[in-house]
């Protein structure tokens, strides 16, 4: 399975960005997809996940601001990020796995390359 992200960039605080992740290859092996982020000097943080049934989960730091959802194509997941803050600046990586537990525990089988999101104050 290959994961390709797009949609990162530079935005001012309070602005919005939408990230997209498209899976290809053996996508039948994927049940859950999600987004992680990493900032320099900080640990990897789980941002949001979504299962094939549409069940979502969010980090407390993004609840009410970020929304994860599936695109029209089953193999695409998007992350709508609103009311962005400078502390949201990070490299955002798409991840996927057959098991949502493994995805949420930081051990998904599949990772994307990552896309930079920078929020200026």
């Amino acid at each position: 399975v290959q994961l390709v992200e797009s949609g990162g960039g530079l935005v001012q605080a309070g602005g919005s960005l939408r990230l997209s992740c498209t899976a290809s290859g053996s996508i039948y092996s994927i049940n859950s997809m999600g987004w992680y982020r990493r900032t320099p000097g900080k640990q990897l943080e789980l941002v949001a996940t979504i299962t094939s049934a549409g069940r979502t989960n969010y980090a407390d730091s993004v609840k009410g601001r970020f929304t994860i959802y599936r695109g029209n194509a089953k193999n695409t997941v998007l992350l709508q990020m609103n009311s962005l803050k400078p502390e949201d600046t990070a490299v955002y990586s798409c991840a996927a796995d057959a098991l949502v537990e493994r995805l949420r525990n930081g051990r998904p089988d599949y990772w994307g390359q990552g896309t930079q999101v920078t929020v200026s104050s």
Side-chain angles (χ1 to χ4, degrees), residues 5-9 17-20 81 115-117:
E5 305 104 332
S6 62
L17 281 176
R18 186 174 64 187
L19 304 182
S20 177
M81 305 185 294
T115 184
Q116 177 71 45
V117 171

Side-chain angles (χ1 to χ4, degrees), residues 1-6 19-23 30 32-37 48 68 75-79 91-97 103 108-115:
V1 174
Q2 294 79 43
L3 303 175
V4 178
E5 305 104 332
S6 62
L19 304 182
S20 177
C21 174
T22 299
I30 294 173
S32 299
M33 297 180 71
W35 293 90
Y36 276 84
R37 66 185 181 186
I68 188 170
N75 60 331
T76 299
V77 65
L78 301 106
L79 184 68
V91 175
Y92 285 71
S93 295
C94 180
D97 201 281
L103 176 64
D109 281 345
Y110 309 108
W111 289 94
Q113 294 274 29
T115 184

Side-chain angles (χ1 to χ4, degrees), residues 5 13 19 44 60 64 88 118:
E5 305 104 332
L19 304 182
L44 196 63
D60 288 342
D88 293 319
T118 302

Side-chain angles (χ1 to χ4, degrees), residues 43-88:
Q43 290 184 334
L44 196 63
E45 179 186 20
L46 177 62
V47 177
T49 61
I50 185 168
T51 68
S52 58
R55 184 170 298 177
T56 59
N57 187 271
Y58 297 91
D60 288 342
S61 58
V62 306
K63 280 181 181 176
R65 300 188 298 122
F66 290 12
T67 302
I68 188 170
Y69 60 101
R70 292 189 177 271
N72 290 331
K74 182 180 178 181
N75 60 331
T76 299
V77 65
L78 301 106
L79 184 68
Q80 179 66 43
M81 305 185 294
N82 298 328
S83 302
L84 283 161
K85 305 175 181 179
E87 51 263 43
D88 293 319

